[in-house]
Amino acid sequence: MPARSRTTEPLYRIKADLFKCLAHPTRIQVLEVLAAAGDEGAPVTQLLGVTGCEASQLSQHLAVLRRTGVVASTRTGNAVEYWLAQPLVGELLVVARAFLLSSLTPGSDQLEAARRLPPLPGASPRALLEAVEEDRA
């Protein structure tokens, strides 16, 4: 396998920054809400209700997601609306959920909790679980 070159180093750094941006449960939860909302996006008030964060905490998480280009926003008066900057982010969430489901022990509390997660566009949790169960058989 070839070593990283000076030309590819920035690409690996950008990818690492993306994964750092995703490395918090609240940010993943926000992204899943936005993925489910589709093109409509979601107002900050909804994100506050879902996450249970204080407004200042949520603002910091959203700033991280905006800086890395994962989400976009618009302000109308006092209302701020967020959405996924690219549909590929939603696909990344589906793949991450499938990976998570495939690593959970059958019958575990975590697997049962994962079954209750809200659906993501492109794949239902049930379809993901069925695919995982077929792979295990």
Side-chain angles (χ1 to χ4, degrees), residues 82-104:
Y82 283 86
W83 62 90
L84 296 181
Q86 296 183 23
L88 287 174
V89 175
E91 292 181 38
L92 180 61
L93 294 169
V94 170
V95 170
R97 186 175 288 181
F99 177 79
L100 169 68
L101 294 173
S102 70
S103 67
L104 295 175

Side-chain angles (χ1 to χ4, degrees), residues 25-69:
T26 299
R27 292 195 285 265
I28 296 297
Q29 188 177 23
V30 164
L31 292 175
E32 288 194 354
V33 168
L34 296 178
D39 294 338
E40 302 291 311
V44 168
T45 53
Q46 179 184 354
L47 299 175
L48 283 167
V50 169
T51 63
C53 285
E54 295 291 327
S56 61
Q57 289 176 314
L58 182 61
S59 178
Q60 290 174 1
H61 288 301
L62 290 167
V64 169
L65 295 170
R66 273 193 320 271
R67 271 195 308 274
T68 53

Side-chain angles (χ1 to χ4, degrees), residues 98-117:
F99 177 79
L100 169 68
L101 294 173
S102 70
S103 67
L104 295 175
T105 305
S108 70
D109 290 342
Q110 289 177 322
L111 185 58
E112 291 307 312
R115 286 187 169 139
R116 292 188 300 273
L117 290 171

